[in-house]
Amino acid sequence: MSPEPYLGEVSRTPVRHHILSVLVENKAGVLARIAGLFARRGFNIYSLAVAPAESHARFSRVTIVVDAESAPLEQIVGQLDKLVNVVAINDLAPRDAVERELLLATLPLGDEHRSAMLDTITKAGASIVDVGPTSVTVMLAGTPGACDELERALEDFAEVELHRTGRVALPRLG
Amino acid sequence: MQLTGAQALIRSLEQEGVDTIFGLPGGAILPVYDPLLDSSIRHILVRHEQGAGHMAEGYALATGRPGVAMVTSGPGATNIVTPIGNAHMDSTPLVVITGQVATASIGTDAFQECDITGITMGITKHNFLVQSAQEIPRAVAAAFHLATTGRPGPVLIDVPKDVTQSMMDWWYPASIEEYDLPGYRPEIPLDQEAVERAVALIAESERPVLYVGGGTLKSRASQELLAFAERTGMPVVTTLMARGAFPDSHEQHLGMPGMHGMYTAVTAIQKSDLLISLGARFDDRVTGKIPAFAAGAKVIHVDIDKAEFNKVRHADVAIQSNVAAALVAFDAAQATPRNLDVWWKAINDWRDQYPLVYDEPTADGPLRPQHVIEAIAAKAAPGTIVASGVGQHQMWASQHWKFEEPGTWINSGGAGTMGFGVPAAIGAKVGRPERTVWCIDGDGCFQMTAQELTTARSEGIPIKVAILNNAYLGMVRQWQEMFYEERYSEVYLSADLPDYVKWAEAMGCVGLRARTLKEMHEVIDEANTINDVPVVIDFRTDAEEKVFPMVAAGASNDDIIVHPLQRGERR
Ligand SMILES: Cc1ncc(C[n+]2csc(CCOP(=O)(O)OP(=O)(O)O)c2C)c(N)n1
Ligand SMILES: [Mg+2]
């Protein structure tokens, strides 16, 4: 049985989300197979992150945050498992997982909001990774909740360009 | 030993024991057709690639062995998409080989290029785009393994032209480990604890029904089913996909459930307290309105595919297994329900009250389609294989033919593909040449794939085709009559255009026609004497005839509509 979905308190993540850490063969078209499956079965993907897995060139790890309201998790896992290129599925309830995400944002540093903005960045624990004549790029690696919060705080300022990676996760140890 | 990729492909198919390929050549697959000339494999040259796919399906359904089809790239590949989708819906093992443009041209919109692996991703169990000649044996071995194990299905191998033209060192995978399928585990050990819970549910049951689906045929579990059913005395229903899995002549068999199922089969399910689903998937054509389906029943769901559990109906006990192994485990645990006398009394009352009926045939016609099917069946050799198209005639064939053994009913269930019948019958006859093969077809269906009778004639495949010619897309007409106030929209076909007798003759077949009862018997007798060429019979049937019983789409199975002859007597 899969654990109970977590009722999250953050606004940007679906209320009942679930994390699937999926080990797949590193072959052409695997991502299309996963995306196609979700599309044709009406399962919603909230975020998706892909990278080569561990030290194996043979496998990749796909971390999918699924909306557990769009379909029963058992169905999503069962159908995903039937994809021949899917090697293993680790199904993580948010409360049993350590989740992290990376946020990058470029902010104009006009005089007007300069101090408020720097204040927001410092409070969020973000660091400045690039500096231009009129703007800076900041980075936050943190919980999805922390990224949501920074994103929300930056909404107050104009002309912010913001990208998020989608989360990765590992099982909680204790 | 050095071989071309094309030679390696043919040799790999030989390794897999392939005796027949259904196909049609073209540019991208040309290299493979050359070594085919030197192979023992029989190639059947179809007139349209859809025919190749359905023939491969008919072959697979009749023999239990995977069907193989080979076509060229682009339009050749897209023409076989319908059979691939059909096989996917019905879990039929197929291996389809498509030519592809040369590797360097892929992605350039080259002549007859199409992304067939992309197109068929959602309707194959798996597909491969082979990258080098050296990889061909692995792809073929893996394709057959995937197509035939676990929940069977179609697998497509797309082979670029440069791959079949280049050289390789011959090898063949010696074991499954070499197939490179790290994510594929079709069989898991039987969950004994789940078996025990199932046995406990059975022990409490007073009104059980064995709900037998296509998975029972796929796992060749007919013997185990017979043993289990007879030991426990439980009633059996067989879905459209499972006809033949349990003998129709058996006292415990209530027939087909579902939209056009037997009254007794539908009602027994509705009133049951335990449904034992054996390789069935609670298809909407069986369940009708889902919340009203067998509302008082607990469910034991046996399936090889765990994604079927709780997809449509909650399973009180889910057992991931092939059907045969689960039945053996139930028997080993001596699973036994309570005394079923009261249950059988109710069932037999339904049987007496609502047998399958149809209006009395009249001597001068038009013929009753149900009567035509029964007349063919009465004169057919035992073990005759029946294929059908999709529509009213299909439902009547399933209702009125008596199936006694697996592999004798060749049908398009999940997809409902018109045009399936003729090519599927041809494929079945190729796979089981010693059997008589009848195709019970509709006039609409026949017109979709009839050209394959030219293939049948030229390849010496003597099937018999009974067209139940009601001059209509009859099933659609039935819905328009019943649910659209008899507003008939685009369903009339004409009984005389085309002239089916002349068309049959033009394709080198014997063409016959029957309008009266006398002619009906004569043409069936005549068809039974012809065993060298295909025979086509144009039976002129009543356009107004409808399929009953019927559960309207989305209605509860409790609201089953019986034949007009039986109305008014309902309690
Ligand atoms: C390829 C395809 N197109 C359309 C349909 C929808 N359809 C289902 S039954 C039917 C009528 C079939 O007519 P016919 O073959 O004459 O059989 P009848 O119902 O008259 O026995 C149609 C159009 C279908 N199932 N398949
Ligand atoms: Mg018709």
Side-chain angles (χ1 to χ4, degrees):
Chain A
M1 267 326 290
S2 31
E4 280 260 295
Y6 160 81
L7 297 174
E9 63 264 11
V10 288
S11 64
R12 300 199 177 239
T13 319
V15 183
R16 275 156 37 91
H17 76 279
H18 218 95
I19 306 150
L20 299 177
S21 174
V22 186
L23 192 68
V24 301
E25 286 182 82
N26 198 352
K27 286 189 175 159
V30 174
L31 207 56
R33 288 179 201 276
I34 293 175
L37 171 72
F38 273 71
R40 73 177 171 271
R41 296 252 176 211
F43 307 155
N44 288 345
I45 295 180
Y46 172 72
S47 81
L48 185 114
V50 195
E54 286 94 58
S55 50
H56 296 283
R58 216 182 137 196
F59 300 115
S60 290
R61 185 167 299 282
V62 183
T63 307
I64 313 173
V65 178
V66 298
D67 174 356
E69 306 242 282
S70 67
L73 191 68
E74 181 191 19
Q75 254 304 291
I76 301 177
V77 172
Q79 297 294 354
L80 201 52
D81 209 22
K82 280 203 280 183
L83 294 180
V84 169
N85 296 134
V86 167
V87 180
I89 304 172
N90 200 350
D91 137 29
L92 295 168
R95 74 159 72 89
D96 301 325
V98 180
E99 305 174 65
R100 288 295 180 273
E101 190 174 353
L102 190 77
L103 177 154
L104 283 179
T106 296
L107 322 167
L109 274 188
D111 289 335
E112 210 184 329
H113 301 298
R114 191 184 186 95
S115 66
M117 214 173 237
L118 287 173
D119 203 37
T120 305
I121 293 165
T122 324
K123 261 216 263 172
S127 45
I128 293 174
V129 290
D130 195 20
V131 182
T134 59
S135 54
V136 291
T137 296
V138 300
M139 174 194 87
L140 176 66
T143 63
C147 292
D148 284 348
E149 241 164 70
L150 178 57
E151 186 176 349
R152 214 177 298 124
L154 293 177
E155 268 168 15
D156 297 342
F157 308 105
E159 290 173 60
V160 174
E161 190 186 346
L162 186 143
H163 286 195
R164 293 172 64 162
T165 55
R167 69 196 72 183
V168 294
L170 281 174
R172 213 174 265 290
L173 299 176
Chain B
M1 180 178 41
Q2 287 259 310
L3 297 180
T4 65
Q7 290 169 325
L9 180 54
I10 294 298
R11 206 179 168 111
S12 299
L13 295 174
E14 289 168 352
Q15 288 277 335
E16 292 296 331
V18 173
D19 57 17
T20 309
I21 298 174
F22 303 93
L24 194 151
I29 197 73
L30 252 174
V32 186
Y33 271 81
D34 185 72
L36 187 62
L37 281 175
D38 307 320
S39 171
S40 61
I41 297 176
R42 178 181 186 188
H43 182 273
I44 293 187
L45 176 61
V46 299
R47 272 30 177 195
H48 184 295
E49 290 87 350
Q50 182 185 0
H54 292 323
M55 285 178 204
E57 291 183 273
Y59 176 99
L61 291 169
T63 64
R65 300 194 301 272
V68 182
M70 183 159 77
V71 299
T72 194
S73 66
T78 54
N79 272 352
I80 205 166
V81 167
T82 297
I84 292 172
N86 190 77
H88 186 63
M89 290 296 274
D90 286 349
S91 305
T92 305
L94 286 194
V95 173
V96 176
I97 295 155
T98 49
Q100 182 55 280
V101 301
T103 317
S105 302
I106 291 179
T108 67
D109 305 315
F111 179 64
Q112 293 192 330
E113 181 186 355
C114 93
D115 174 19
I116 195 64
T117 51
I119 288 171
T120 59
M121 221 168 240
I123 53 168
T124 49
K125 182 166 173 183
H126 193 57
N127 58 30
F128 299 93
L129 173 60
V130 182
Q131 306 281 356
S132 74
Q134 202 60 34
E135 282 300 308
I136 285 174
R138 195 196 314 280
V140 172
F144 278 86
H145 180 60
L146 290 167
T148 55
T149 55
R151 180 176 182 165
V155 178
L156 180 139
I157 309 174
D158 199 20
V159 205
K161 191 168 185 178
D162 58 320
V163 169
T164 51
Q165 284 173 323
S166 58
M167 300 305 290
M168 56 89 73
D169 287 314
W170 171 252
W171 71 290
Y172 205 73
S175 71
I176 293 175
E177 280 65 52
E178 292 183 64
Y179 292 177
D180 189 27
L181 299 171
Y184 185 65
R185 295 162 303 272
E187 299 273 346
I188 65 155
L190 195 60
D191 178 353
Q192 280 304 331
E193 190 266 337
V195 170
E196 279 162 33
R197 284 190 290 126
V199 171
L201 278 188
I202 292 170
E204 283 170 21
S205 166
E206 294 176 335
R207 298 187 308 281
V209 172
L210 291 169
Y211 161 35
V212 175
T216 302
L217 289 173
K218 296 295 184 317
S219 77
R220 297 180 172 85
S222 291
Q223 285 310 313
E224 291 81 356
L225 173 63
L226 188 67
F228 180 71
E230 291 194 335
R231 189 180 61 70
T232 58
M234 295 186 204
V236 176
V237 304
T238 51
T239 68
L240 185 67
M241 290 313 300
R243 307 286 293 123
F246 193 76
D248 274 337
S249 58
H250 199 286
E251 218 0 67
Q252 282 167 251
H253 198 173
L254 315 186
M256 178 174 77
M259 183 174 264
H260 292 298
M262 299 300 99
Y263 181 90
T264 308
V266 172
T267 307
I269 288 180
Q270 287 304 88
K271 308 286 186 208
S272 67
D273 67 357
L274 180 66
L275 266 188
I276 304 174
S277 170
L278 302 171
R281 58 183 178 83
F282 297 85
D283 181 81
D284 55 82
R285 286 306 189 253
V286 167
T287 62
K289 187 178 172 191
I290 291 161
F293 176 70
K298 294 239 163 65
V299 171
I300 298 170
H301 196 164
V302 177
D303 207 295
I304 193 76
D305 177 1
K306 72 172 189 287
E308 290 303 336
F309 302 140
N310 304 315
K311 184 182 85 177
V312 173
R313 173 65 182 251
H314 170 73
D316 296 279
V317 179
I319 300 175
Q320 189 182 1
S321 169
N322 71 68
V323 173
L327 288 174
V328 167
F330 292 166
D331 265 334
Q334 287 291 304
T336 311
R338 296 209 175 155
N339 185 305
L340 302 181
D341 290 351
V342 177
W343 184 220
W344 274 110
K345 168 83 178 59
I347 289 171
N348 286 326
D349 282 352
W350 296 323
R351 268 182 172 165
D352 291 344
Q353 210 178 348
Y354 296 108
L356 196 59
V357 292
Y358 55 90
D359 291 312
E360 193 67 31
T362 49
D364 296 340
L367 300 167
R368 298 266 170 237
Q370 305 93 327
H371 188 226
V372 174
I373 292 167
E374 289 182 356
I376 294 171
K379 295 175 193 234
T384 292
I385 294 172
V386 181
S388 87
V390 167
Q392 293 181 310
H393 62 279
Q394 171 194 29
M395 293 296 110
W396 286 318
S398 175
Q399 291 178 337
H400 292 270
W401 197 278
K402 296 291 166 255
F403 296 97
E404 296 297 319
E405 55 169 315
T408 53
W409 172 233
I410 311 293
N411 153 82
S412 164
T417 304
M418 282 177 72
F420 177 81
V422 166
I426 293 169
K429 181 72 180 171
V430 170
R432 307 288 306 267
E434 76 292 357
R435 298 283 180 117
T436 301
V437 178
W438 273 98
C439 171
I440 307 283
D441 217 358
D443 45 331
C445 288
F446 183 80
Q447 293 187 61
M448 288 202 178
T449 49
Q451 76 281 356
E452 298 310 337
L453 283 166
T454 310
T455 306
R457 170 60 211 257
S458 58
E459 294 276 348
I461 308 164
I463 61 163
K464 304 183 200 305
V465 182
I467 305 172
L468 300 184
N469 181 2
N470 54 7
Y472 275 94
L473 298 169
M475 185 58 93
V476 182
R477 185 192 183 284
Q478 173 167 350
W479 284 52
Q480 292 179 346
E481 179 179 334
M482 294 176 70
F483 309 118
Y484 290 86
E485 292 147 5
E486 300 180 37
R487 285 163 54 84
Y488 298 116
S489 174
E490 302 300 321
V491 285
Y492 179 66
L493 297 175
S494 156
D496 301 303
L497 186 70
D499 182 326
Y500 294 101
V501 171
K502 281 191 193 153
W503 192 4
E505 287 167 357
M507 293 186 287
C509 307
V510 173
L512 303 169
R513 177 171 292 131
R515 299 172 192 271
T516 65
L517 280 187
K518 185 164 164 289
E519 287 170 0
M520 179 187 84
H521 289 295
E522 283 168 4
V523 293
I524 295 172
D525 288 339
E526 187 175 349
N528 283 337
T529 64
I530 301 167
N531 290 309
D532 51 348
V533 294
V535 186
V536 176
I537 311 177
D538 173 10
F539 289 101
R540 295 300 174 91
T541 62
D542 189 347
E544 310 235 314
E545 197 62 58
K546 288 178 285 299
V547 188
F548 291 110
M550 176 171 192
V551 178
S556 158
N557 283 347
D558 292 331
D559 300 326
I560 183 167
I561 306 167
V562 295
H563 193 278
L565 290 171
Q566 296 167 322
R567 291 187 204 153
E569 338 170 348
R570 265 191 94 187
R571 276 181 253 178

